[in-house]
Every structure is written in structure tokens, then in C-alpha cells.
Amino acid sequence: MALRGLVFFAILLACTSVGLGLGGGWGAAGGAWVGALAWLAADLAMAARALRWLRRPARPDELLDPPELPGLWGAVIDRVRRLLRARDQQVAEAGQRMQSFLAAIQASPNGVTLLDEANRITWCNQTAAGHFGFDAQRDQLQLVGNLVRDPDFAAYLAAGDFSHEVVINGRAATSSRLARVSAQLHPYGDGQKLLLSRDVTALEQADTMRRDFVANVSHEIRTPLTVLNGFVETLQTLPLEEDERTRYLALMAQQAQRMQALVNDLLTLSRLEGSPLPGGGEWVPLAALMAQCEEEVRGLAAVLGKDLDLRCMPAPGFEVSGIGSEILSAITNLVANAVRYTPSGGTIDVSWRDRGDGRLEFSVQDTGPGIASEHLPRLTERFYRVDRSRSRETGGTGLGLAIVKHVVQRHGGELQVESRLGQGSTFSFWLPAGRFRPVPAAPVVPPAAAGAETPPQ
Ligand code: ADP
């Protein structure tokens, strides 16, 4: 400012001196006026330029092109330019923070919807859009109650008690497909609300499965228990003949065995679910597995009094890797089913074969009653039976195929069923490459050792 004052007085002095030289006292006064007016005009011109620059519409390159002005106006322009640049930088940083914040909410596995004080949608992420069927752009400022028409949600919104969540049908739900969404509102700010949603379909399904499973197990155990109780009461209250007592005791033993088989299968299933996946270290020869399986199923056929043509093809010279007891239980379950469901006089073919596409296949083909196609997709569900009474008569628990499926999947393979009503069934599974190999050749005895064993002449 001091410099500016000095320059003004210097101009005034110069103009006054020139005026004095040219026209005496009046000339000096005129010179002073001219000097002052010239200063004012120059100052106004600079102010107008500065104002023009400030008034120009803001463009990103604007700040790079400020007018070059001397003195005070130059300093003002410089100061304004710095302030504008700092503001622009702050705006850009805030924008970036906002973008990364929104990107993080977009990446959230949960649905996030922002509602204003009138319950209109101001923003939502893609997950929420999927849950409720919103269009993130088109549905902005739409009333959420108009878009989420579930009566439970409408009641929840109207009640205004947001301390709990509400579970409704998601947009993807159809008559054949379950899609359940849990939604909860969280008020914030000045009447705005945060609507958080998550997909709870799997949770609800697991819950239903758990309830069904408990109900099934209770039912399966209650039936033999009721029968056992009946016999116990009869034995306690009625004086029975010896042969009748023996018959009742045999029936009681049968029910106890049924319960034991059920508990064993349940334990097997829970072990399969809880134990780590089988490694590739243990190798078991197929021939040994098949010998054990054949012995068990021939025993079962004898117990059931079945006259069947059970043809077990000699197992190829392979060994399989995994958990031997699990693979044995899978093949025994399949052959035992064929024995149980095929009437006397029927044929059962059991074979292993190298499919040539890197897979080893086990298959059991029977000439039994076959299974109607509508049952096939559900056969491996726990406790699913096509014919309840036949399964029970032959000691079935309804868990055999569930166990087989688990074992096969744990070993990287797949269970397949082909069957036609009245035309028999073929149950097969394959194991992937890496799970089988040819049995290594027996070590050759060295000639020296062989010579040592020859008796002295
Ligand atoms: P279960 O103990 O009842 O045999 P599984 O899980 O082993 O239970 O089998 C499920 C159902 O599949 C059986 O109840 C039966 O109806 C049907 N099934 C299984 N194997 C055969 C087969 N070889 N022939 C006909 N039906 C079969």
C-alpha cells in the first residue's frame, strides 16, 4: 500500500511539475488534476480487467490464465487465484473421497439404500437394487413404499418401530424359487433413513432343513421305540408261551437293530460332514475292497433269503486313493441296495472300468423294480424313500444314498443314477484321475537271495 501511495504521489508530483513549467500556478493545478485522473483511469481499467476475469464462467483452465496486472491488482488476482486453486483442490479431493466411499458401499455384500425424510430413495447400491428390484438411476426420489410392495414391509414402515428387522420375499422370488431378504431401517441425520438389506435365503433354507432333519430323525426313532415299548408291556403283563416269547424277543431285537443302523448311519454322515477332505496318501487295492464288499452283500442276501445272481466282475488291477473305509461303505451301500430291492431270481452286475477319459467308474446294475423318473432327483436327500415300507422291511434307514453321494463328492467324483420303472436301475459313480493307479508290480527277488534259499546239494 505504501508503495502504491508513493507511486501515486510521484505521478502527481511529476504532472504538477510539468504543469508548473508549462503554465505557472494554474498549470500546476491542471497538471495535478490530469495526473490524478490518469491514475484513476488506469486503476479503473485494471479493476475492470480483474473483475472480468473473476466473472468469467469457471472453467478448469481459467485459473491458469489470469490477467497480468501490476501492483495491488496483481496481488489481488494472485491471492484470488491461490484461493480458487485451493478450493478446487478441496472439491476434487472431496469428490474422490465420495467416489471411493460409494465404491466401497457398492462392493458391500449387503444392500444399502438411503431414504430422505419422506421415505424417497436418494441412493442405493446394486445389491439393494437386486434385492428389491430397484433401478438405481430411474427410481431416484421414488417412494420406497411404492416400490417394495410386500405387506410385511409396508406394515413395518408404517409402524415406525425400526428396532428389529423384517424378512420379506426378494424380487427374485418366484413360485418355484425361494428368495428371502431381511431388511432393517436405521434412522439418521434429520429424518433420513438407512435401509440395510441382506439375502437370507440360504439361512432360511438351512433352518428349514435342520427342522425337517430333526423331525425325520425323531420320527424314525419313535416308530421302532413304540413297537419295542409295546412288546415290553406285553411281556411284562401277559403270561406267554415260550415260543411266543421267543418270537416277540426276535421282533424286539429287529427293532433295536433298526435303531442301531439308523444311529450308525447318522454318525457316519456327521463324520463325513465334519472331517477334512481325504488326502491322496492312502492307496487301497480295488480287489481287497471288492472282496470285502462281496462278502458283506452275500451275507445280506442270505439274511434276506434272496436267491439272486450276483455277478461281481473281477476288479481291474487298480488301487484307489482316499479313505478306504469310506469308499468301501459307498460301494457296499450301492450293491446292498440292489440286493435289497431286487426280487429273488433277479440279476445284479457289479463292475469297475477304466473309462479311458481319465476316470474310473464303478457301477451296479440290477433287474429290480426300477425307479420312476420323478423320484430320481430326490433319491440322495436324507430320508427320501420311493417305497417306505419296502425300505423298512429290508432294514433301510433312508440315508444310504446320502452317504454314498457325500463320499463320492469328497473324493472328487460324482454319483449317477439311471433307472426306469419296471426295468431295473444302474447306480454308478466315477473317481477322477489321480484317485486311481495300476497296482505297482511286486518287487522282483534278486537272484543272490533266491540262490541263498536253494537247499545245499
Ligand atoms: P434306503 O435305506 O431306504 O434304501 P437309500 O438312501 O439307500 O435309503 O435309498 C433311497 C431310496 O432309493 C430307497 O428307499 C429306494 O426307494 C430307492 N432305491 C435305492 N436303490 C434302489 C435300487 N437299486 N432299486 C430300486 N430302488 C432303489
Side-chain angles (χ1 to χ4, degrees):
M1 274 310 264
L3 183 66
R4 189 173 152 80
L6 273 177
V7 173
F8 175 67
F9 278 114
I11 291 172
L12 216 59
L13 202 62
C15 289
T16 310
S17 311
V18 172
L20 189 67
L22 292 175
W26 284 107
W33 270 105
V34 169
L37 284 176
W39 166 266
L40 194 63
D43 209 42
L44 282 176
M46 283 191 284
R49 278 185 69 190
L51 214 59
R52 247 196 332 273
W53 178 67
L54 283 173
R55 276 186 184 153
R56 273 194 279 178
R59 284 199 331 262
D61 59 342
E62 197 70 33
L63 294 176
L64 303 174
D65 183 26
E68 283 195 17
L69 299 174
L72 179 76
W73 288 109
V76 168
I77 290 288
D78 195 47
R79 181 83 191 121
V80 169
R81 196 171 53 83
R82 278 168 204 248
L83 285 175
L84 287 177
R85 178 165 286 173
R87 186 210 60 183
D88 282 0
Q89 211 164 347
Q90 275 173 0
V91 169
E93 277 169 10
Q96 259 171 12
R97 269 202 302 275
M98 184 68 150
Q99 284 309 320
S100 70
F101 181 66
L102 290 179
I105 303 182
Q106 278 294 8
S108 160
N110 291 333
V112 181
T113 308
L114 304 183
L115 305 178
D116 65 10
E117 58 288 348
N119 292 335
R120 286 177 307 202
I121 297 168
T122 51
W123 186 85
C124 73
N125 67 359
Q126 281 307 321
T127 314
H131 286 162
F132 300 112
F134 299 152
D135 182 312
Q137 253 75 54
R138 196 192 56 212
D139 290 337
Q140 270 198 15
L141 295 182
Q142 293 289 323
L143 284 170
V144 71
N146 286 349
L147 299 176
V148 184
R149 313 288 298 200
D150 191 291
D152 288 344
F153 184 78
Y156 176 74
L157 201 58
D161 173 11
F162 306 135
S163 58
H164 58 95
E165 57 184 16
V166 59
V167 178
I168 60 173
N169 275 334
R171 177 46 67 104
T174 60
S175 55
S176 60
R177 184 172 162 205
L178 192 70
R180 301 284 285 164
V181 170
S182 150
Q184 185 163 12
L185 281 161
H186 301 270
Y188 73 96
D190 200 9
Q192 293 101 313
K193 294 177 198 76
L194 177 70
L195 171 61
L196 291 183
S197 53
R198 67 200 161 93
D199 189 334
V200 290
T201 314
L203 277 178
E204 292 227 329
Q205 270 170 338
D207 210 37
T208 313
M209 270 169 67
R210 187 186 54 76
R211 271 199 304 270
D212 287 354
F213 185 68
V214 171
N216 272 322
V217 171
S218 315
H219 177 77
E220 295 289 332
I221 289 184
R222 200 178 49 197
T223 315
L225 263 183
T226 313
V227 179
L228 262 178
N229 266 334
F231 284 131
V232 169
E233 266 176 36
T234 313
L235 286 171
Q236 279 173 335
T237 51
L238 293 180
L240 297 172
E241 298 292 325
E242 191 52 33
D243 57 340
E244 239 175 338
R245 260 174 73 86
T246 314
R247 195 167 63 83
Y248 280 12
L249 284 172
L251 288 168
M252 287 167 75
Q254 204 181 26
Q255 296 302 323
Q257 274 160 13
R258 197 174 137 191
M259 282 198 289
Q260 193 168 10
L262 178 70
V263 171
N264 285 346
D265 277 359
L266 284 171
L267 285 175
T268 305
L269 263 181
S270 92
R271 254 198 311 272
L272 286 174
E273 277 172 352
S275 59
L277 287 179
E282 189 193 338
W283 288 93
V284 197
L286 281 189
L289 285 176
M290 281 311 294
Q292 215 171 326
C293 166
E294 200 175 333
E295 191 186 322
E296 281 185 37
V297 292
R298 285 200 190 279
L300 175 69
V303 169
L304 295 175
K306 292 247 176 114
D307 179 18
L308 295 164
D309 185 7
L310 178 61
R311 303 191 293 217
C312 293
M313 298 246 298
F318 284 118
E319 50 187 15
V320 288
S321 93
I323 300 179
S325 58
E326 289 186 12
I327 301 173
L328 176 65
S329 111
I331 60 176
T332 310
N333 257 307
L334 292 183
V335 188
N337 273 357
V339 167
R340 286 167 48 221
Y341 293 105
T342 308
S344 279
T347 306
I348 297 168
D349 284 303
V350 183
S351 63
W352 285 94
R353 91 184 158 100
D354 181 355
R355 290 176 27 152
D357 59 356
R359 300 181 222 189
L360 180 69
E361 186 180 76
F362 172 76
S363 89
V364 185
Q365 189 174 7
D366 66 46
T367 56
I371 303 162
S373 59
E374 69 264 25
H375 296 293
L376 294 180
R378 301 195 58 192
L379 281 189
T380 54
E381 283 177 23
R382 292 161 191 204
F383 299 112
Y384 189 84
R385 292 157 166 129
V386 179
D387 182 341
R388 234 158 231 288
S389 59
R390 191 172 316 172
S391 160
R392 293 231 173 89
E393 275 165 26
T394 55
T397 60
L399 296 173
L401 290 180
I403 292 175
V404 176
K405 184 179 169 185
H406 244 292
V407 168
V408 171
Q409 279 181 346
R410 278 163 58 77
H411 285 80
E414 196 188 339
L415 173 67
Q416 283 156 344
V417 188
E418 279 170 37
S419 187
R420 272 196 171 176
L421 203 55
Q423 293 184 19
S425 318
T426 304
F427 285 78
S428 60
F429 67 78
W430 52 259
L431 293 176
R435 282 271 175 215
F436 68 100
R437 67 177 184 195
V439 177
V444 180
V445 183
E453 273 181 21
T454 47
Q457 300 290 315

